[in-house]
């Protein structure tokens, strides 16, 4: 282990995992662990018969689906902002060209 990595112990589905995290990224790991555990709990409430790997896979798929949706919305917003910037540049260019 390098001096730039710390070992963190996280718990998922009652099992502890020792995870190396770069210095400064420990909080991100803890936040991700909390998010996964919350998603697991939510998935377990919706599908109480699921256990183990099946529960984990469904929760992971739900998180991935949310991530993809956010990524798509983000790209749509970026595209919309780029169109606004382009329109503003066109107006400025036309205005400068008239003078």
């Amino acid at each position: 282990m390098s001096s730039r990595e710390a070992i963190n112990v996280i718990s998922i589905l009652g099992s502890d995992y020792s995870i190396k995290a770069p210095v400064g990224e420990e909080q991100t790991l803890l936040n991700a662990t909390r998010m996964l555990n919350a998603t697991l709990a939510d998935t377990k409430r919706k599908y109480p018969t699921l256990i183990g790997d099946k529960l984990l896979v469904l929760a992971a798929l739900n998180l991935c689906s949310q991530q993809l949706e956010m990524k798509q919305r983000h790209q749509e917003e970026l595209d919309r902002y780029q169109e606004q910037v382009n329109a503003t540049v066109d107006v400025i260019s036309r205005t400068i060209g008239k003078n």
Side-chain angles (χ1 to χ4, degrees):
M1 179 176 78
S2 75
S3 61
R4 298 185 47 83
E5 292 180 332
I7 294 180
N8 297 269
V9 177
I10 61 170
S11 181
I12 299 171
L13 291 177
S15 296
D16 289 340
Y17 299 89
S18 296
I19 307 285
K20 289 182 184 179
V23 172
E25 294 292 321
E26 299 91 350
Q27 190 60 49
T28 300
L29 175 62
L30 294 176
N31 291 344
T33 301
R34 276 192 222 109
M35 181 185 286
L36 178 56
N37 281 326
T39 301
L40 284 164
D42 185 52
T43 304
K44 184 66 174 172
R45 277 191 298 279
K46 291 177 183 173
Y47 305 96
T49 60
L50 287 180
I51 58 172
D53 290 347
K54 290 183 180 184
L55 175 63
L56 190 57
V57 167
L58 186 56
L61 285 171
N62 286 335
L63 285 171
C64 289
S65 176
Q66 291 171 13
Q67 176 66 25
L68 290 170
E69 288 172 7
M70 285 189 302
K71 186 177 179 181
Q72 181 178 353
R73 282 195 308 268
H74 178 72
Q75 186 60 53
E76 289 169 358
E77 288 178 18
L78 284 176
D79 292 345
R80 189 172 56 251
Y81 293 142
Q82 186 61 51
E83 288 174 12
Q84 291 173 348
V85 168
N86 290 342
T88 302
V89 168
D90 288 344
V91 168
I92 292 170
S93 295
R94 284 193 304 270
T95 301
I96 291 172
K98 289 180 181 179
N99 292 331

